[in-house]
Amino acid sequence: MADLKSIFNHPRTEDPEKDPHLYNWKRPFHGKNDAAYLNRLLKSKGRKGSEERNASGRVRANGNENNKKQRVMFKMSYGNSMAKHKRYIQLYMPQIGKDGVEEKKEIFGTPLDEYQKHMSPLHFKFIISPESQQADLQLLSETFISHLEELTGYKFYWLGVVHTDTEHHHAHLSINGIDKNGMKVRFPKDMIKETMREILSNITTNMVGERTPEEIAEAKQRQTMAKRWTNYDEQLKAMPEKIFIKNLNQSLLNRLQFLSTIGMAKKDGFFYSLNPDFEEVMKATGRYNLYLEEYLKSDLPLKLFEGGNITGKVDKVISFDKDESWNDAIIIRTNSERIYIPIFQLHLDNLEGKTIHIDNVAGGTNRNITTKDIKIVNPMKYQKSILR
């Protein structure tokens, strides 16, 4: 395991005046990609009592459909508030007071009283949702945590819970920001983007077996109706402006038919044409699930904020559960367009109708804009400054 741990031994930059950003790590050069190297190590190590599975290739959110490894949807967020941390484990995880949930969900992991005794404001929140519903989500969570401890050297205070209130069952995890050795927990970006997903895919594949041809075919069929950018869209993007339907296989034809139902394509006889904004809209919708809805019903063109300076009146606020706000956003209206601005955990009330200013280089699908970047301005002063 020494070799395995060494690939994540990334020293971080220290600033004696200010705590560094959560993910501000100095990454040394490696001859091989960390995730690919880890993949080979996990393959060679295998799992006791289990058949070794094919572990070639890298797993991504929109990975190769021919890959036989099990796919796992994975998201991670973090918070730095003790009050939100307490609310997350006391209310959100056990689903206290949630409509349609009659039984309190059982929490596993570190004994709850021990976890609460050592709670810190910093905490990490995970959602784990395997494509296969045969996976034992508690065992998957426990094994995932064990792998993370081996890789990082941390000994976590952590909690897990399985939610079954949606069609696709999933697990939520919470990792305390201080481990059992008093170390502040940090995860490198590459580990979050690649390695954690790779670990979950390997564990799930060992648990339920490789995907069958039928499961792969079913996943391909679902992809033709996905409200996000897909491999099929990459193929369509490379085609002529007028796409002749006789040249298409059934999957591409199904994709175009679906795109036409959501306003992203138009059929004219034997030809389809794509909406000029279809790439931007589908990529944004894959990250922000209400983007397409706002795009279709808008009386003005809707654009995704690409970073920089912007001032305008808030036309709409999109806010979800304060502890699981992956898709909060505000929409600013100008004379010629509406700007969709994703916000990470929006914690401002009564913004609609107010004039605000945002100055942040983050934009597109880079979700780095937070409440602190939103400045409410006097609309009269702003109008005067424009006229000068």
Side-chain angles (χ1 to χ4, degrees):
M1 285 315 291
D3 290 339
L4 190 58
K5 290 181 181 179
S6 68
I7 64 174
F8 296 110
N9 186 21
H10 301 169
R12 60 186 173 87
T13 302
E14 294 287 357
D15 182 345
E17 301 296 327
K18 184 178 180 181
D19 186 49
H21 187 273
L22 185 61
Y23 302 131
N24 186 18
W25 291 66
K26 287 184 177 179
R27 176 189 170 93
F29 170 79
H30 298 299
K32 302 290 184 181
N33 174 269
D34 281 355
Y37 180 42
L38 168 69
N39 206 13
R40 290 194 297 275
L41 289 174
L42 290 175
K43 178 182 177 182
S44 64
K45 181 181 178 183
R47 182 179 175 188
K48 186 176 181 180
S50 299
E51 178 185 358
E52 287 190 6
R53 306 293 179 181
N54 176 19
S56 61
R58 294 168 65 186
V59 176
R60 293 182 181 274
N62 298 323
N64 186 348
E65 289 291 337
N66 293 321
N67 192 330
K68 293 183 179 180
K69 290 171 59 177
Q70 291 292 335
R71 302 197 309 172
V72 181
M73 188 282 287
F74 167 77
K75 291 184 179 181
M76 195 204 86
S77 178
Y78 71 92
N80 223 338
S81 162
M82 182 65 84
K84 294 171 189 174
H85 192 177
K86 289 180 178 178
R87 186 165 62 246
Y88 186 73
I89 66 170
Q90 293 173 359
L91 299 178
Y92 186 84
M93 292 185 75
Q95 296 190 304
I96 301 297
K98 182 164 185 178
D99 293 340
V101 178
E102 298 179 359
E103 296 183 5
K104 179 180 178 181
K105 298 300 178 181
E106 181 179 353
I107 293 180
F108 52 87
T110 305
L112 185 57
D113 57 347
E114 181 182 355
Y115 185 98
Q116 291 175 319
K117 181 179 178 181
H118 297 90
M119 281 176 64
S120 66
L122 176 64
H123 57 290
F124 300 86
K125 300 178 287 187
F126 299 78
I127 298 178
I128 298 172
S129 181
E131 184 179 82
S132 172
Q133 291 291 275
Q134 299 177 28
D136 183 325
L137 290 171
Q138 180 170 340
L139 178 59
L140 174 59
S141 301
E142 292 169 345
T143 309
F144 173 63
I145 291 292
S146 178
H147 273 283
L148 284 189
E149 289 184 330
E150 284 191 279
L151 286 171
T152 62
Y154 293 125
K155 291 295 180 183
F156 298 121
Y157 293 109
W158 72 281
L159 299 173
V161 67
V162 174
H163 285 182
T164 58
D165 57 311
T166 61
E167 182 178 349
H168 210 80
H169 298 176
H170 54 281
H172 291 265
L173 306 183
S174 178
I175 293 180
N176 193 47
I178 303 296
D179 82 340
K180 294 180 179 180
N181 295 318
M183 299 295 294
K184 188 172 183 179
V185 176
R186 296 175 181 272
F187 297 114
K189 283 184 178 180
D190 285 356
M191 191 175 197
I192 298 166
K193 291 182 177 180
E194 300 287 345
T195 310
M196 290 183 180
R197 196 184 307 276
E198 189 78 16
I199 291 171
L200 288 164
S201 177
N202 284 331
I203 296 170
T204 308
T205 302
N206 281 336
M207 186 180 294
V208 303
E210 293 177 340
R211 293 197 299 165
T212 66
E214 292 76 17
E215 289 173 330
I216 293 174
E218 185 180 345
K220 285 184 176 181
Q221 178 60 29
R222 286 198 302 269
Q223 196 179 60
T224 64
M225 297 181 288
K227 290 184 179 180
R228 58 176 173 80
W229 186 256
T230 71
N231 292 332
Y232 295 125
D233 298 322
E234 287 287 353
Q235 298 176 55
L236 294 172
K237 176 184 174 183
M239 292 183 179
E241 183 177 345
K242 297 288 186 179
I243 303 173
F244 187 43
I245 63 175
K246 298 294 185 180
N247 295 336
L248 301 177
N249 61 41
Q250 190 60 49
S251 293
L252 286 174
L253 183 58
N254 290 344
R255 181 60 175 171
L256 278 170
Q257 289 172 343
F258 175 75
L259 290 175
S260 68
T261 66
I262 60 174
M264 291 295 104
K266 184 178 180 180
K267 187 179 180 183
D268 183 11
F270 291 101
F271 294 89
Y272 274 99
S273 57
L274 296 168
N275 185 311
D277 297 330
F278 109 100
E279 181 175 0
E280 175 186 326
V281 173
M282 297 312 292
K283 286 182 176 179
T285 303
R287 191 68 180 268
Y288 314 114
N289 54 11
L290 291 184
Y291 188 89
L292 178 62
E293 178 183 329
E294 292 298 327
Y295 177 88
L296 293 175
K297 72 181 184 183
S298 180
D299 57 325
L300 291 174
L302 182 69
K303 298 293 182 181
L304 186 64
F305 180 57
E306 295 295 340
N309 286 283
I310 186 169
T311 302
K313 182 178 289 188
V314 177
D315 190 47
K316 185 170 183 177
V317 174
I318 300 171
S319 184
F320 296 84
D321 188 293
K322 295 299 183 185
D323 295 310
E324 284 296 294
S325 47
W326 306 99
N327 290 302
D328 287 355
I330 56 176
I331 298 177
I332 291 179
R333 176 181 290 267
T334 68
N335 290 331
S336 59
E337 60 186 5
R338 298 170 82 216
I339 310 297
Y340 190 103
I341 307 175
I343 308 291
F344 180 72
Q345 295 187 336
L346 179 63
H347 297 296
L348 285 176
D349 297 321
N350 304 318
L351 276 179
E352 287 190 14
K354 293 184 178 178
T355 302
I356 66 168
H357 176 75
I358 292 177
D359 182 5
N360 194 311
V361 296
T365 55
N366 186 4
R367 190 179 49 195
N368 285 342
I369 298 174
T370 64
T371 297
K372 67 181 181 181
D373 297 308
I374 302 173
K375 309 297 181 186
I376 298 175
V377 301
N378 186 316
M380 297 301 295
K381 290 183 179 180
Y382 172 63
Q383 291 294 334
K384 289 179 181 179
S385 68
I386 294 178
L387 295 174
R388 287 174 184 171

